[in-house]
Amino acid sequence: MASSAMGLFGNSLFSRKEWIDGHDVEIIDKLSQLLNSIYSASPGKICSLDFSRLRKILELESNSCQSIRATISWIKDAQTSLKALSAILDNEIRQLESQHTRLVVRNGIESLPNEVLAIIAEYSCYHDSRESVRLSHICRRFRTLALDIPALWTSVSPTDILDETKAFLERSKFAGLHIRFSRKAGQVFHESFHHEFLAAILPHAHRWHSFSLYLQYDAAGEEILCFLKFMSITCGRLELPTLKELSIQCDEHLFEDRPALRTADDLRFYENWIMPNIQFLKVYSFLPRPIFVQPSLRSLRVELESEYDDVAWDLGLLLMLLSTFTALEDLTLSFRNAIFVSAPGIPRPDIVLESLRTLDLYVLSENPDLNPVRLIMAKIRAPNLNKLVAATEIHQWADANEWLHTLLYNGVNDFMRLTHLDLQVNRYYHETCEFETVFQRLPNLAHLSIEASDDPDRVLRLWSTHRLAPDSIPPLRSLRFSRCGTFYSDGLDHILKILQERPDWDEFHRLEVIDCPNFCQEDARIIPKNKVVWRDK
């Protein structure tokens, strides 16, 4: 293709030579020689050519206007031909690069040992056996590899093809299984498929690693309830020696017109299961009963949400439940539009959770009620708590400082070991959150993160009402502020200067500021640039 382009260029050149006679022919010959030298030169030598001759060539001594016009016309034709040649060469370059890329990818994959490919396959198909099916259909090598990795076939869920479930169970060999009953609203619920699926996986109960039930309610609600009853009867006292994770999530609409279902045995089929090694439990829209005692439980997540005004959660039942999990390390409590009643069942002594390291509290509703948080913080004693994450919606009539006082000053905890505090405040209105509220209560705080709403009409002021005493500043190591609309940096500048004067200043490793328009980056100049992350909106 490049030669055809040069042929086009040559034809244009010689056709123009027929126009010009005498002295002009010599000029054009010299120009032709120069252009041919450009064409024959390698890319690396083109820049070293002497283009000074071009100017001399174009300084025509002839006064013939016709000769000048002909020369100009020829130069334009030559320019067009060069552009065409350039386009052809660019296209060839792209084709060669594409071929090169395919060769690199193909040769690269072929050169990878099976052990490396196995790691990549497990990562890309994590807990998704259907992705493993796609992987096994790529080529013969991939199929052989996929069938030889039991971990790729451990995710099992009901389908209308029972043979597929049986194939996954066979290919997973002795690996731990991840059982998932998931049914979203609008999906056809075939009760017979679920019965057959349950019958297929029960013989493998000894290697269940996780069990997840997620049901959304709609027109098939009655069939779902019948299946839960069938599961409760069929499973009975199921022995699950390797089960580590249990997740039960039921749509709030499942309990509509059936309030008694929240405490029904059919929904608590798992209470009869024998799970000596259970470590993680997640429940949504209902509370397990306190009889569900699992000493091995390490992580608990309870999400209570209701769209109905007449639904109230028994706070005493929640606290009694927490008192049974004495080995908890991570606790997450999320209340959205939740209403609580103070039942007589509230434990009188404090709930001591010696192993608790992380506590996450989320109160997100139209009218946030801080009383449950007060009671929880007043009853739970966590002397080794290391991290506190708190999120709420503060309105115009509420005070952000009240939220902080509820968390930090209400209860039996001194927070001497708390080093991480993550505050997330939404839907507030011109509230003031003071540094000393946090610092005076958390003397060993090392990492502080405050995240606010990105609504420009709702802003959060973060400053100190007075200059903090140097000894009141905790040993901060990182600070993160996100979308704090009216955050001013003068208070923080004062804090950073105090930290800079301390002998351990080198241990401060990160300042992150995200969309804080009133924060002056110049005030953070005392921090090395490699320790500052700054992102404007």
Side-chain angles (χ1 to χ4, degrees):
M1 287 187 292
S3 60
S4 62
M6 280 306 298
L8 176 64
F9 171 73
N11 292 335
S12 174
L13 173 65
F14 291 111
S15 63
R16 290 303 176 190
K17 286 182 63 177
E18 295 175 359
W19 282 48
I20 307 170
D21 297 323
H23 183 66
D24 292 336
V25 173
E26 182 181 355
I27 296 174
I28 301 303
D29 285 340
K30 292 181 179 179
L31 181 60
S32 175
Q33 292 175 7
L34 177 61
L35 293 175
N36 287 331
S37 64
I38 294 175
Y39 169 72
S40 60
S42 62
K45 295 182 179 180
I46 289 178
C47 296
S48 62
L49 293 176
D50 184 9
F51 289 93
S52 61
R53 292 188 296 164
L54 182 60
R55 178 175 298 179
K56 295 180 180 180
I57 293 173
L58 295 178
E59 291 175 355
L60 302 178
E61 299 178 0
S62 175
N63 294 325
S64 172
C65 292
Q66 181 179 1
S67 175
I68 294 175
R69 283 196 300 268
T71 304
I72 293 175
S73 177
W74 177 85
I75 292 176
K76 288 182 178 179
D77 288 347
Q79 185 181 31
T80 301
S81 299
L82 287 173
K83 288 182 178 179
L85 176 62
S86 176
I88 293 173
L89 292 176
D90 287 342
N91 184 56
E92 289 188 355
I93 290 173
R94 284 193 295 269
Q95 291 182 3
L96 290 173
E97 287 179 344
S98 177
Q99 295 174 8
H100 176 263
T101 301
R102 288 196 296 269
L103 287 173
V104 169
V105 172
R106 187 183 67 187
N107 294 340
I109 292 177
E110 290 179 351
S111 64
L112 284 177
N114 285 346
E115 293 79 6
V116 176
L117 280 178
I119 296 174
I120 298 174
E122 290 186 37
Y123 180 81
S124 60
C125 302
Y126 182 70
H127 287 190
D128 192 345
S129 296
R130 287 180 175 81
E131 286 295 328
S132 303
V133 173
R134 298 186 183 96
L135 178 68
S136 65
H137 290 173
I138 294 177
C139 63
R140 183 177 300 175
R141 182 193 180 195
F142 276 30
R143 180 169 181 79
T144 302
L145 181 70
L147 295 178
D148 199 37
I149 305 176
L152 296 183
W153 311 99
T154 56
S155 179
V156 187
S157 58
T159 66
D160 55 355
I161 305 176
L162 186 61
D163 289 341
E164 180 181 272
T165 299
K166 293 180 179 179
F168 289 173
L169 293 173
E170 180 181 354
R171 294 173 182 178
S172 61
K173 297 180 181 178
F174 301 103
L177 296 175
H178 303 279
I179 310 298
R180 284 176 171 79
F181 284 88
S182 177
R183 191 263 177 187
K184 298 181 179 179
Q187 290 181 337
V188 178
F189 184 84
H190 297 289
E191 191 173 354
S192 59
F193 293 159
H194 286 71
H195 289 184
E196 294 175 351
F197 174 77
L198 190 61
I201 62 174
L202 280 179
H204 302 269
H206 61 281
R207 58 190 184 101
W208 289 8
H209 183 85
S210 67
F211 182 91
S212 173
L213 176 68
Y214 176 63
L215 299 175
Q216 284 189 336
Y217 182 85
D218 56 7
E222 293 300 331
E223 298 178 6
I224 294 175
L225 296 179
C226 291
F227 171 70
L228 290 177
K229 188 176 185 65
F230 174 79
M231 179 180 290
S232 178
I233 296 173
T234 304
C235 293
R237 290 185 60 80
L238 191 63
E239 293 189 7
L240 303 169
T242 62
L243 192 70
K244 298 291 183 63
E245 302 176 12
L246 176 63
S247 176
I248 311 293
Q249 301 182 65
C250 296
D251 187 12
E252 170 63 22
H253 296 284
L254 189 66
F255 306 105
E256 188 177 3
D257 301 327
R258 301 177 184 85
L261 181 61
R262 296 182 187 276
T263 57
D265 292 338
D266 294 340
L267 188 60
R268 289 165 173 76
F269 55 86
Y270 58 88
E271 289 184 354
N272 293 322
W273 291 359
I274 302 174
M275 303 173 286
N277 296 305
I278 185 71
Q279 295 185 1
F280 176 83
L281 172 64
K282 178 181 179 179
V283 293
Y284 179 85
S285 288
F286 76 98
L287 282 171
R289 291 179 290 199
I291 61 173
F292 184 65
V293 179
Q294 298 294 334
S296 62
L297 197 69
R298 296 292 183 268
S299 178
L300 173 64
R301 184 180 183 92
V302 179
E303 297 183 17
L304 302 180
E305 179 176 346
S306 176
E307 298 179 2
Y308 307 104
D309 295 336
D310 57 344
V311 176
W313 304 99
D314 188 344
L315 189 58
L317 182 64
L318 174 60
L319 291 173
M320 291 181 64
L321 175 69
L322 295 179
S323 65
T324 63
F325 301 136
T326 55
L328 274 182
E329 298 177 0
D330 301 292
L331 173 60
T332 299
L333 301 175
S334 178
F335 314 132
R336 185 182 295 274
N337 296 335
I339 303 173
F340 291 89
V341 293
S342 298
I346 295 178
R348 290 187 178 275
D350 298 334
I351 302 172
V352 181
L353 300 177
E354 293 276 356
S355 302
L356 193 64
R357 298 293 187 271
T358 302
L359 174 60
D360 293 22
L361 288 173
Y362 300 91
V363 181
L364 306 172
S365 62
E366 292 294 330
N367 298 296
D369 183 6
L370 299 183
N371 288 324
V373 179
R374 287 193 184 95
L375 187 55
I376 290 173
M377 297 303 294
K379 297 299 296 183
I380 295 179
R381 183 190 295 272
N384 297 308
L385 189 66
N386 178 261
K387 182 178 181 179
L388 175 61
V389 179
T392 188
E393 295 184 357
I394 298 295
H395 288 259
Q396 189 170 4
W397 51 266
D399 187 3
N401 287 303
E402 180 185 359
W403 169 246
L404 286 178
H405 279 275
T406 299
L407 292 172
L408 304 179
Y409 287 87
N410 187 71
V412 294
N413 294 287
D414 55 13
F415 299 110
M416 292 300 296
R417 298 193 177 185
L418 191 73
T419 59
H420 292 69
L421 179 62
D422 187 346
L423 299 176
Q424 302 169 18
V425 188
N426 297 314
R427 300 188 66 176
Y428 42 78
Y429 183 79
H430 293 289
E431 298 296 344
T432 300
C433 175
E434 300 176 353
F435 278 123
E436 55 264 41
T437 303
V438 175
F439 293 163
Q440 293 176 1
R441 186 60 170 160
L442 306 177
N444 295 307
L445 184 66
H447 309 279
L448 173 63
S449 174
I450 301 180
E451 183 172 353
S453 171
D454 56 359
D455 188 345
D457 296 330
R458 301 180 184 276
V459 295
L460 182 67
R461 291 190 176 91
L462 300 167
W463 55 24
S464 175
T465 56
H466 58 272
R467 290 292 182 179
L468 297 173
D471 57 355
S472 66
I473 305 295
L476 293 169
R477 296 293 180 265
S478 70
L479 290 167
R480 181 180 183 272
F481 300 97
S482 177
R483 297 193 296 271
C484 298
T486 58
F487 178 77
Y488 289 91
S489 57
D490 51 353
L492 183 60
D493 181 43
H494 172 65
I495 294 171
L496 292 175
K497 288 180 179 179
I498 293 176
L499 295 175
Q500 186 186 29
E501 296 173 356
R502 294 179 177 176
D504 57 355
W505 167 244
D506 290 339
E507 297 182 19
F508 186 92
H509 61 83
R510 187 178 180 88
L511 170 64
E512 186 173 356
V513 179
I514 302 174
D515 188 23
C516 296
N518 296 317
F519 191 100
C520 181
Q521 190 170 5
E522 183 66 20
D523 290 338
R525 62 186 181 278
I526 63 175
I527 303 178
K529 292 183 179 180
N530 62 337
K531 297 183 178 182
V532 178
V533 177
W534 202 283
R535 293 197 294 268
D536 295 326
K537 191 172 183 178

